[in-house]
Amino acid sequence: MIRSGPAGRRRAAYDGLDEAVRVVRSLGSEVESAQRVAELMVTALQDGGRILTCGNGGSALEAQHFAAELIGHFRGDRPALAAIALTPDPAVLTAISNDFCYDDVFARQVQGLARPGDVLLAFSTSGNSANVLAAVRTARDLGAQTVALTGGDGGALAALADHPIVVASADTAHIQEAHLVLLHIICEHIDAAFRAAP
């Protein structure tokens, strides 16, 4: 039901806030998974590997946010870490989409950049984005580890990725909010590991 008028819109805002809090609270069961993923990334980075990351729409921005936190830092000073978002270059994205197809837009980049020992972090709120699934398949074929942040029932991505984390919500906005919380948990763990390194 669409709420109309100031009172209805105010109630809808509070309902949205309540649901966002519920979804974030549900992440308690995924904190250990996030820490395991962070440790996987720490090991990859310490061994000379890189983190590649991709997603569509709002998830593309979360991929870029994560890469920025690794190349920069999340909290405090530490060395720059090797991370590449596969989303921000319009020349690459449009060339691949035009010359091949949009479903290949991330897989083609993974094919050119990924090596054994790297980690691909893939975002899809539905778990069924064809271009994200293709990227994960390509990364696995090349010997990279794959991590998925998804939602709902996890879709095909949860079954395909080596390390899936599924947010218990069917609402895209709330899934993305929860993904950001999970990303910050992962960033905190990675920052701490590299600040502690000699």
Side-chain angles (χ1 to χ4, degrees):
M1 182 176 116
I2 297 174
R3 300 178 188 275
S4 60
R9 289 191 295 273
R10 190 165 32 256
R11 182 67 257 155
Y14 280 106
D15 289 347
L17 179 60
D18 288 344
E19 180 60 11
V21 170
R22 185 200 69 75
V23 172
V24 169
R25 285 190 185 281
S26 77
L27 297 179
S29 61
E30 298 297 340
V31 169
E32 287 187 12
S33 296
Q35 290 177 319
R36 282 194 298 272
V37 162
E39 197 53 40
L40 172 76
M41 292 180 178
V42 167
T43 300
L45 291 163
Q46 287 173 336
D47 291 345
R50 297 172 297 182
I51 312 302
L52 285 68
T53 181
C54 65
N56 295 293
S59 295
L61 296 179
E62 292 193 314
Q64 290 172 229
H65 175 75
F66 186 63
E69 296 288 16
L70 294 188
I71 293 170
H73 64 83
F74 183 62
R75 298 187 199 275
D77 194 26
R78 54 130 173 92
L81 302 172
I84 304 167
L86 305 179
T87 54
D89 188 331
V92 170
L93 298 179
T94 55
I96 295 169
S97 298
N98 185 60
D99 297 343
F100 299 92
C101 72
Y102 190 68
D103 287 355
D104 294 333
V105 74
F106 300 133
R108 186 80 179 172
Q109 294 180 77
V110 169
Q111 188 179 65
L113 295 169
R115 309 178 292 230
D118 289 347
V119 177
L120 174 67
L121 171 59
F123 294 85
S124 172
T125 56
S126 69
N128 293 312
S129 300
N131 57 2
V132 173
L133 292 168
V136 170
R137 287 188 198 97
T138 301
R140 292 188 62 169
D141 289 346
L142 292 169
Q145 288 287 306
T146 57
V147 175
L149 291 186
T150 184
D153 65 3
L157 184 58
L160 182 63
D162 298 311
H163 306 279
I165 301 177
V166 181
V167 173
S169 175
D171 185 279
T172 297
H174 294 317
I175 295 167
Q176 289 175 335
E177 290 158 0
H179 284 176
L180 185 58
V181 172
L182 290 165
L183 285 186
H184 286 169
I185 290 168
I186 294 168
C187 286
E188 188 88 62
H189 188 105
I190 292 172
D191 262 25
F194 282 94
R195 279 199 307 271

mmCIF file with all atom_site columns, all heavy atoms in Angstrom, residues 35 56 72 75 99-100 103 112 116 123 126 134 140 147 157 174 178-179 183 185 191-192 197:
data_model
loop_
_atom_site.group_PDB
_atom_site.id
_atom_site.type_symbol
_atom_site.label_atom_id
_atom_site.label_alt_id
_atom_site.label_comp_id
_atom_site.label_asym_id
_atom_site.label_entity_id
_atom_site.label_seq_id
_atom_site.pdbx_PDB_ins_code
_atom_site.Cartn_x
_atom_site.Cartn_y
_atom_site.Cartn_z
_atom_site.occupancy
_atom_site.B_iso_or_equiv
_atom_site.pdbx_formal_charge
_atom_site.auth_seq_id
_atom_site.auth_comp_id
_atom_site.auth_asym_id
_atom_site.auth_atom_id
_atom_site.pdbx_PDB_model_num
ATOM 1   N N   . GLN A 1 35  ? 34.786 -12.440 8.347   1.00 0.00 ? 35  GLN A N   1
ATOM 2   C CA  . GLN A 1 35  ? 36.161 -12.491 8.862   1.00 0.00 ? 35  GLN A CA  1
ATOM 3   C C   . GLN A 1 35  ? 36.984 -13.548 8.129   1.00 0.00 ? 35  GLN A C   1
ATOM 4   O O   . GLN A 1 35  ? 38.165 -13.329 7.847   1.00 0.00 ? 35  GLN A O   1
ATOM 5   C CB  . GLN A 1 35  ? 36.149 -12.740 10.368  1.00 0.00 ? 35  GLN A CB  1
ATOM 6   C CG  . GLN A 1 35  ? 35.634 -11.528 11.137  1.00 0.00 ? 35  GLN A CG  1
ATOM 7   C CD  . GLN A 1 35  ? 35.540 -11.767 12.627  1.00 0.00 ? 35  GLN A CD  1
ATOM 8   O OE1 . GLN A 1 35  ? 35.126 -12.843 13.067  1.00 0.00 ? 35  GLN A OE1 1
ATOM 9   N NE2 . GLN A 1 35  ? 35.917 -10.777 13.404  1.00 0.00 ? 35  GLN A NE2 1
ATOM 10  N N   . ASN A 1 56  ? 26.933 -4.510  -10.551 1.00 0.00 ? 56  ASN A N   1
ATOM 11  C CA  . ASN A 1 56  ? 26.151 -3.622  -11.418 1.00 0.00 ? 56  ASN A CA  1
ATOM 12  C C   . ASN A 1 56  ? 25.432 -2.552  -10.591 1.00 0.00 ? 56  ASN A C   1
ATOM 13  O O   . ASN A 1 56  ? 25.012 -2.811  -9.464  1.00 0.00 ? 56  ASN A O   1
ATOM 14  C CB  . ASN A 1 56  ? 25.095 -4.429  -12.181 1.00 0.00 ? 56  ASN A CB  1
ATOM 15  C CG  . ASN A 1 56  ? 25.712 -5.419  -13.144 1.00 0.00 ? 56  ASN A CG  1
ATOM 16  O OD1 . ASN A 1 56  ? 26.329 -5.033  -14.120 1.00 0.00 ? 56  ASN A OD1 1
ATOM 17  N ND2 . ASN A 1 56  ? 25.547 -6.713  -12.873 1.00 0.00 ? 56  ASN A ND2 1
ATOM 18  N N   . GLY A 1 72  ? 43.649 2.895   -0.642  1.00 0.00 ? 72  GLY A N   1
ATOM 19  C CA  . GLY A 1 72  ? 43.880 3.936   0.360   1.00 0.00 ? 72  GLY A CA  1
ATOM 20  C C   . GLY A 1 72  ? 44.069 3.286   1.724   1.00 0.00 ? 72  GLY A C   1
ATOM 21  O O   . GLY A 1 72  ? 45.037 2.568   1.954   1.00 0.00 ? 72  GLY A O   1
ATOM 22  N N   . ARG A 1 75  ? 41.085 2.598   8.224   1.00 0.00 ? 75  ARG A N   1
ATOM 23  C CA  . ARG A 1 75  ? 41.392 3.337   9.454   1.00 0.00 ? 75  ARG A CA  1
ATOM 24  C C   . ARG A 1 75  ? 42.907 3.315   9.646   1.00 0.00 ? 75  ARG A C   1
ATOM 25  O O   . ARG A 1 75  ? 43.508 2.249   9.608   1.00 0.00 ? 75  ARG A O   1
ATOM 26  C CB  . ARG A 1 75  ? 40.758 2.696   10.676  1.00 0.00 ? 75  ARG A CB  1
ATOM 27  C CG  . ARG A 1 75  ? 39.243 2.640   10.681  1.00 0.00 ? 75  ARG A CG  1
ATOM 28  C CD  . ARG A 1 75  ? 38.761 2.139   12.028  1.00 0.00 ? 75  ARG A CD  1
ATOM 29  N NE  . ARG A 1 75  ? 37.405 1.644   11.983  1.00 0.00 ? 75  ARG A NE  1
ATOM 30  C CZ  . ARG A 1 75  ? 36.331 2.407   12.108  1.00 0.00 ? 75  ARG A CZ  1
ATOM 31  N NH1 . ARG A 1 75  ? 36.451 3.703   12.255  1.00 0.00 ? 75  ARG A NH1 1
ATOM 32  N NH2 . ARG A 1 75  ? 35.119 1.867   12.080  1.00 0.00 ? 75  ARG A NH2 1
ATOM 33  N N   . ASP A 1 99  ? 31.806 -4.915  -28.629 1.00 0.00 ? 99  ASP A N   1
ATOM 34  C CA  . ASP A 1 99  ? 32.529 -5.894  -29.443 1.00 0.00 ? 99  ASP A CA  1
ATOM 35  C C   . ASP A 1 99  ? 32.166 -7.338  -29.102 1.00 0.00 ? 99  ASP A C   1
ATOM 36  O O   . ASP A 1 99  ? 32.317 -8.229  -29.938 1.00 0.00 ? 99  ASP A O   1
ATOM 37  C CB  . ASP A 1 99  ? 34.033 -5.711  -29.288 1.00 0.00 ? 99  ASP A CB  1
ATOM 38  C CG  . ASP A 1 99  ? 34.509 -4.357  -29.796 1.00 0.00 ? 99  ASP A CG  1
ATOM 39  O OD1 . ASP A 1 99  ? 33.741 -3.706  -30.541 1.00 0.00 ? 99  ASP A OD1 1
ATOM 40  O OD2 . ASP A 1 99  ? 35.628 -3.954  -29.451 1.00 0.00 ? 99  ASP A OD2 1
ATOM 41  N N   . PHE A 1 100 ? 31.746 -7.579  -27.893 1.00 0.00 ? 100 PHE A N   1
ATOM 42  C CA  . PHE A 1 100 ? 31.342 -8.922  -27.453 1.00 0.00 ? 100 PHE A CA  1
ATOM 43  C C   . PHE A 1 100 ? 29.868 -8.844  -27.047 1.00 0.00 ? 100 PHE A C   1
ATOM 44  O O   . PHE A 1 100 ? 29.005 -8.817  -27.881 1.00 0.00 ? 100 PHE A O   1
ATOM 45  C CB  . PHE A 1 100 ? 32.253 -9.403  -26.318 1.00 0.00 ? 100 PHE A CB  1
ATOM 46  C CG  . PHE A 1 100 ? 33.695 -9.492  -26.742 1.00 0.00 ? 100 PHE A CG  1
ATOM 47  C CD1 . PHE A 1 100 ? 34.569 -8.412  -26.562 1.00 0.00 ? 100 PHE A CD1 1
ATOM 48  C CD2 . PHE A 1 100 ? 34.191 -10.634 -27.343 1.00 0.00 ? 100 PHE A CD2 1
ATOM 49  C CE1 . PHE A 1 100 ? 35.893 -8.483  -26.972 1.00 0.00 ? 100 PHE A CE1 1
ATOM 50  C CE2 . PHE A 1 100 ? 35.510 -10.721 -27.762 1.00 0.00 ? 100 PHE A CE2 1
ATOM 51  C CZ  . PHE A 1 100 ? 36.356 -9.629  -27.574 1.00 0.00 ? 100 PHE A CZ  1
ATOM 52  N N   . ASP A 1 103 ? 27.122 -9.350  -21.186 1.00 0.00 ? 103 ASP A N   1
ATOM 53  C CA  . ASP A 1 103 ? 27.354 -10.454 -20.254 1.00 0.00 ? 103 ASP A CA  1
ATOM 54  C C   . ASP A 1 103 ? 28.844 -10.738 -20.064 1.00 0.00 ? 103 ASP A C   1
ATOM 55  O O   . ASP A 1 103 ? 29.235 -11.362 -19.074 1.00 0.00 ? 103 ASP A O   1
ATOM 56  C CB  . ASP A 1 103 ? 26.649 -11.726 -20.736 1.00 0.00 ? 103 ASP A CB  1
ATOM 57  C CG  . ASP A 1 103 ? 25.137 -11.661 -20.562 1.00 0.00 ? 103 ASP A CG  1
ATOM 58  O OD1 . ASP A 1 103 ? 24.634 -10.672 -19.988 1.00 0.00 ? 103 ASP A OD1 1
ATOM 59  O OD2 . ASP A 1 103 ? 24.456 -12.598 -21.022 1.00 0.00 ? 103 ASP A OD2 1
ATOM 60  N N   . GLY A 1 112 ? 41.793 -11.060 -18.536 1.00 0.00 ? 112 GLY A N   1
ATOM 61  C CA  . GLY A 1 112 ? 43.036 -10.334 -18.771 1.00 0.00 ? 112 GLY A CA  1
ATOM 62  C C   . GLY A 1 112 ? 43.832 -10.012 -17.527 1.00 0.00 ? 112 GLY A C   1
ATOM 63  O O   . GLY A 1 112 ? 45.049 -9.821  -17.605 1.00 0.00 ? 112 GLY A O   1
ATOM 64  N N   . PRO A 1 116 ? 46.172 -17.079 -10.697 1.00 0.00 ? 116 PRO A N   1
ATOM 65  C CA  . PRO A 1 116 ? 46.016 -17.940 -9.524  1.00 0.00 ? 116 PRO A CA  1
ATOM 66  C C   . PRO A 1 116 ? 46.521 -17.209 -8.284  1.00 0.00 ? 116 PRO A C   1
ATOM 67  O O   . PRO A 1 116 ? 47.550 -16.527 -8.332  1.00 0.00 ? 116 PRO A O   1
ATOM 68  C CB  . PRO A 1 116 ? 46.902 -19.151 -9.851  1.00 0.00 ? 116 PRO A CB  1
ATOM 69  C CG  . PRO A 1 116 ? 46.949 -19.183 -11.345 1.00 0.00 ? 116 PRO A CG  1
ATOM 70  C CD  . PRO A 1 116 ? 46.939 -17.745 -11.784 1.00 0.00 ? 116 PRO A CD  1
ATOM 71  N N   . PHE A 1 123 ? 29.572 -8.804  -6.475  1.00 0.00 ? 123 PHE A N   1
ATOM 72  C CA  . PHE A 1 123 ? 28.327 -8.338  -5.857  1.00 0.00 ? 123 PHE A CA  1
ATOM 73  C C   . PHE A 1 123 ? 27.157 -8.586  -6.790  1.00 0.00 ? 123 PHE A C   1
ATOM 74  O O   . PHE A 1 123 ? 27.219 -8.250  -7.972  1.00 0.00 ? 123 PHE A O   1
ATOM 75  C CB  . PHE A 1 123 ? 28.381 -6.826  -5.617  1.00 0.00 ? 123 PHE A CB  1
ATOM 76  C CG  . PHE A 1 123 ? 29.387 -6.361  -4.623  1.00 0.00 ? 123 PHE A CG  1
ATOM 77  C CD1 . PHE A 1 123 ? 30.703 -6.128  -5.009  1.00 0.00 ? 123 PHE A CD1 1
ATOM 78  C CD2 . PHE A 1 123 ? 29.025 -6.128  -3.305  1.00 0.00 ? 123 PHE A CD2 1
ATOM 79  C CE1 . PHE A 1 123 ? 31.638 -5.673  -4.093  1.00 0.00 ? 123 PHE A CE1 1
ATOM 80  C CE2 . PHE A 1 123 ? 29.955 -5.669  -2.386  1.00 0.00 ? 123 PHE A CE2 1
ATOM 81  C CZ  . PHE A 1 123 ? 31.267 -5.439  -2.781  1.00 0.00 ? 123 PHE A CZ  1
ATOM 82  N N   . SER A 1 126 ? 20.609 -9.955  -6.351  1.00 0.00 ? 126 SER A N   1
ATOM 83  C CA  . SER A 1 126 ? 19.730 -11.086 -6.691  1.00 0.00 ? 126 SER A CA  1
ATOM 84  C C   . SER A 1 126 ? 20.493 -12.410 -6.722  1.00 0.00 ? 126 SER A C   1
ATOM 85  O O   . SER A 1 126 ? 19.897 -13.473 -6.567  1.00 0.00 ? 126 SER A O   1
ATOM 86  C CB  . SER A 1 126 ? 19.094 -10.872 -8.064  1.00 0.00 ? 126 SER A CB  1
ATOM 87  O OG  . SER A 1 126 ? 20.083 -10.965 -9.091  1.00 0.00 ? 126 SER A OG  1
ATOM 88  N N   . ALA A 1 134 ? 29.299 -14.819 -15.014 1.00 0.00 ? 134 ALA A N   1
ATOM 89  C CA  . ALA A 1 134 ? 30.350 -15.110 -15.997 1.00 0.00 ? 134 ALA A CA  1
ATOM 90  C C   . ALA A 1 134 ? 31.729 -14.754 -15.445 1.00 0.00 ? 134 ALA A C   1
ATOM 91  O O   . ALA A 1 134 ? 32.704 -15.484 -15.670 1.00 0.00 ? 134 ALA A O   1
ATOM 92  C CB  . ALA A 1 134 ? 30.079 -14.345 -17.292 1.00 0.00 ? 134 ALA A CB  1
ATOM 93  N N   . ARG A 1 140 ? 37.263 -18.630 -11.485 1.00 0.00 ? 140 ARG A N   1
ATOM 94  C CA  . ARG A 1 140 ? 37.496 -19.996 -11.002 1.00 0.00 ? 140 ARG A CA  1
ATOM 95  C C   . ARG A 1 140 ? 38.321 -20.799 -12.008 1.00 0.00 ? 140 ARG A C   1
ATOM 96  O O   . ARG A 1 140 ? 39.232 -21.540 -11.623 1.00 0.00 ? 140 ARG A O   1
ATOM 97  C CB  . ARG A 1 140 ? 36.165 -20.689 -10.711 1.00 0.00 ? 140 ARG A CB  1
ATOM 98  C CG  . ARG A 1 140 ? 35.441 -20.065 -9.516  1.00 0.00 ? 140 ARG A CG  1
ATOM 99  C CD  . ARG A 1 140 ? 34.232 -20.855 -9.113  1.00 0.00 ? 140 ARG A CD  1
ATOM 100 N NE  . ARG A 1 140 ? 34.644 -22.191 -8.687  1.00 0.00 ? 140 ARG A NE  1
ATOM 101 C CZ  . ARG A 1 140 ? 33.846 -23.063 -8.082  1.00 0.00 ? 140 ARG A CZ  1
ATOM 102 N NH1 . ARG A 1 140 ? 32.595 -22.751 -7.838  1.00 0.00 ? 140 ARG A NH1 1
ATOM 103 N NH2 . ARG A 1 140 ? 34.278 -24.246 -7.738  1.00 0.00 ? 140 ARG A NH2 1
ATOM 104 N N   . VAL A 1 147 ? 34.598 -14.787 -4.054  1.00 0.00 ? 147 VAL A N   1
ATOM 105 C CA  . VAL A 1 147 ? 33.756 -14.398 -2.918  1.00 0.00 ? 147 VAL A CA  1
ATOM 106 C C   . VAL A 1 147 ? 32.532 -13.703 -3.490  1.00 0.00 ? 147 VAL A C   1
ATOM 107 O O   . VAL A 1 147 ? 32.652 -12.894 -4.415  1.00 0.00 ? 147 VAL A O   1
ATOM 108 C CB  . VAL A 1 147 ? 34.508 -13.438 -1.975  1.00 0.00 ? 147 VAL A CB  1
ATOM 109 C CG1 . VAL A 1 147 ? 33.594 -12.947 -0.854  1.00 0.00 ? 147 VAL A CG1 1
ATOM 110 C CG2 . VAL A 1 147 ? 35.759 -14.103 -1.415  1.00 0.00 ? 147 VAL A CG2 1
ATOM 111 N N   . LEU A 1 157 ? 24.523 -17.357 -7.882  1.00 0.00 ? 157 LEU A N   1
ATOM 112 C CA  . LEU A 1 157 ? 25.846 -16.919 -7.446  1.00 0.00 ? 157 LEU A CA  1
ATOM 113 C C   . LEU A 1 157 ? 26.284 -17.600 -6.161  1.00 0.00 ? 157 LEU A C   1
ATOM 114 O O   . LEU A 1 157 ? 27.453 -17.977 -6.005  1.00 0.00 ? 157 LEU A O   1
ATOM 115 C CB  . LEU A 1 157 ? 25.847 -15.399 -7.268  1.00 0.00 ? 157 LEU A CB  1
ATOM 116 C CG  . LEU A 1 157 ? 27.163 -14.729 -6.915  1.00 0.00 ? 157 LEU A CG  1
ATOM 117 C CD1 . LEU A 1 157 ? 28.233 -15.024 -7.972  1.00 0.00 ? 157 LEU A CD1 1
ATOM 118 C CD2 . LEU A 1 157 ? 26.961 -13.224 -6.772  1.00 0.00 ? 157 LEU A CD2 1
ATOM 119 N N   . HIS A 1 174 ? 18.054 -2.606  1.037   1.00 0.00 ? 174 HIS A N   1
ATOM 120 C CA  . HIS A 1 174 ? 18.515 -3.114  2.332   1.00 0.00 ? 174 HIS A CA  1
ATOM 121 C C   . HIS A 1 174 ? 19.663 -4.110  2.171   1.00 0.00 ? 174 HIS A C   1
ATOM 122 O O   . HIS A 1 174 ? 20.564 -4.182  3.012   1.00 0.00 ? 174 HIS A O   1
ATOM 123 C CB  . HIS A 1 174 ? 17.356 -3.719  3.113   1.00 0.00 ? 174 HIS A CB  1
ATOM 124 C CG  . HIS A 1 174 ? 16.321 -2.719  3.517   1.00 0.00 ? 174 HIS A CG  1
ATOM 125 N ND1 . HIS A 1 174 ? 16.633 -1.466  4.015   1.00 0.00 ? 174 HIS A ND1 1
ATOM 126 C CD2 . HIS A 1 174 ? 14.964 -2.770  3.474   1.00 0.00 ? 174 HIS A CD2 1
ATOM 127 C CE1 . HIS A 1 174 ? 15.522 -0.796  4.278   1.00 0.00 ? 174 HIS A CE1 1
ATOM 128 N NE2 . HIS A 1 174 ? 14.497 -1.564  3.942   1.00 0.00 ? 174 HIS A NE2 1
ATOM 129 N N   . ALA A 1 178 ? 23.346 -3.625  3.858   1.00 0.00 ? 178 ALA A N   1
ATOM 130 C CA  . ALA A 1 178 ? 24.016 -4.690  4.606   1.00 0.00 ? 178 ALA A CA  1
ATOM 131 C C   . ALA A 1 178 ? 25.369 -5.033  3.993   1.00 0.00 ? 178 ALA A C   1
ATOM 132 O O   . ALA A 1 178 ? 26.337 -5.307  4.716   1.00 0.00 ? 178 ALA A O   1
ATOM 133 C CB  . ALA A 1 178 ? 23.124 -5.928  4.655   1.00 0.00 ? 178 ALA A CB  1
ATOM 134 N N   . HIS A 1 179 ? 25.463 -5.013  2.658   1.00 0.00 ? 179 HIS A N   1
ATOM 135 C CA  . HIS A 1 179 ? 26.747 -5.270  2.005   1.00 0.00 ? 179 HIS A CA  1
ATOM 136 C C   . HIS A 1 179 ? 27.789 -4.252  2.450   1.00 0.00 ? 179 HIS A C   1
ATOM 137 O O   . HIS A 1 179 ? 28.957 -4.603  2.658   1.00 0.00 ? 179 HIS A O   1
ATOM 138 C CB  . HIS A 1 179 ? 26.589 -5.222  0.481   1.00 0.00 ? 179 HIS A CB  1
ATOM 139 C CG  . HIS A 1 179 ? 25.941 -6.448  -0.088  1.00 0.00 ? 179 HIS A CG  1
ATOM 140 N ND1 . HIS A 1 179 ? 25.645 -6.555  -1.427  1.00 0.00 ? 179 HIS A ND1 1
ATOM 141 C CD2 . HIS A 1 179 ? 25.558 -7.618  0.488   1.00 0.00 ? 179 HIS A CD2 1
ATOM 142 C CE1 . HIS A 1 179 ? 25.092 -7.754  -1.643  1.00 0.00 ? 179 HIS A CE1 1
ATOM 143 N NE2 . HIS A 1 179 ? 25.022 -8.397  -0.497  1.00 0.00 ? 179 HIS A NE2 1
ATOM 144 N N   . LEU A 1 183 ? 31.295 -5.047  4.109   1.00 0.00 ? 183 LEU A N   1
ATOM 145 C CA  . LEU A 1 183 ? 32.547 -4.541  3.546   1.00 0.00 ? 183 LEU A CA  1
ATOM 146 C C   . LEU A 1 183 ? 33.393 -3.863  4.605   1.00 0.00 ? 183 LEU A C   1
ATOM 147 O O   . LEU A 1 183 ? 34.616 -4.033  4.635   1.00 0.00 ? 183 LEU A O   1
ATOM 148 C CB  . LEU A 1 183 ? 32.260 -3.544  2.421   1.00 0.00 ? 183 LEU A CB  1
ATOM 149 C CG  . LEU A 1 183 ? 31.786 -4.080  1.095   1.00 0.00 ? 183 LEU A CG  1
ATOM 150 C CD1 . LEU A 1 183 ? 31.697 -2.952  0.084   1.00 0.00 ? 183 LEU A CD1 1
ATOM 151 C CD2 . LEU A 1 183 ? 32.705 -5.170  0.580   1.00 0.00 ? 183 LEU A CD2 1
ATOM 152 N N   . ILE A 1 185 ? 33.400 -4.443  7.825   1.00 0.00 ? 185 ILE A N   1
ATOM 153 C CA  . ILE A 1 185 ? 33.950 -5.485  8.701   1.00 0.00 ? 185 ILE A CA  1
ATOM 154 C C   . ILE A 1 185 ? 35.193 -6.101  8.048   1.00 0.00 ? 185 ILE A C   1
ATOM 155 O O   . ILE A 1 185 ? 36.228 -6.292  8.694   1.00 0.00 ? 185 ILE A O   1
ATOM 156 C CB  . ILE A 1 185 ? 32.888 -6.570  8.990   1.00 0.00 ? 185 ILE A CB  1
ATOM 157 C CG1 . ILE A 1 185 ? 31.782 -6.007  9.881   1.00 0.00 ? 185 ILE A CG1 1
ATOM 158 C CG2 . ILE A 1 185 ? 33.529 -7.799  9.642   1.00 0.00 ? 185 ILE A CG2 1
ATOM 159 C CD1 . ILE A 1 185 ? 30.560 -6.906  9.988   1.00 0.00 ? 185 ILE A CD1 1
ATOM 160 N N   . ASP A 1 191 ? 42.802 -4.035  7.377   1.00 0.00 ? 191 ASP A N   1
ATOM 161 C CA  . ASP A 1 191 ? 43.630 -2.925  7.884   1.00 0.00 ? 191 ASP A CA  1
ATOM 162 C C   . ASP A 1 191 ? 44.438 -3.360  9.100   1.00 0.00 ? 191 ASP A C   1
ATOM 163 O O   . ASP A 1 191 ? 45.638 -3.081  9.198   1.00 0.00 ? 191 ASP A O   1
ATOM 164 C CB  . ASP A 1 191 ? 42.734 -1.742  8.276   1.00 0.00 ? 191 ASP A CB  1
ATOM 165 C CG  . ASP A 1 191 ? 42.660 -0.681  7.197   1.00 0.00 ? 191 ASP A CG  1
ATOM 166 O OD1 . ASP A 1 191 ? 42.877 -1.024  6.020   1.00 0.00 ? 191 ASP A OD1 1
ATOM 167 O OD2 . ASP A 1 191 ? 42.382 0.484   7.531   1.00 0.00 ? 191 ASP A OD2 1
ATOM 168 N N   . ALA A 1 192 ? 43.773 -4.045  10.015  1.00 0.00 ? 192 ALA A N   1
ATOM 169 C CA  . ALA A 1 192 ? 44.445 -4.471  11.245  1.00 0.00 ? 192 ALA A CA  1
ATOM 170 C C   . ALA A 1 192 ? 45.601 -5.420  10.918  1.00 0.00 ? 192 ALA A C   1
ATOM 171 O O   . ALA A 1 192 ? 46.679 -5.325  11.510  1.00 0.00 ? 192 ALA A O   1
ATOM 172 C CB  . ALA A 1 192 ? 43.462 -5.131  12.199  1.00 0.00 ? 192 ALA A CB  1
ATOM 173 N N   . ALA A 1 197 ? 51.609 -5.884  10.434  1.00 0.00 ? 197 ALA A N   1
ATOM 174 C CA  . ALA A 1 197 ? 52.730 -6.525  9.719   1.00 0.00 ? 197 ALA A CA  1
ATOM 175 C C   . ALA A 1 197 ? 53.994 -5.725  9.909   1.00 0.00 ? 197 ALA A C   1
ATOM 176 O O   . ALA A 1 197 ? 53.970 -4.499  9.934   1.00 0.00 ? 197 ALA A O   1
ATOM 177 C CB  . ALA A 1 197 ? 52.378 -6.640  8.242   1.00 0.00 ? 197 ALA A CB  1
#
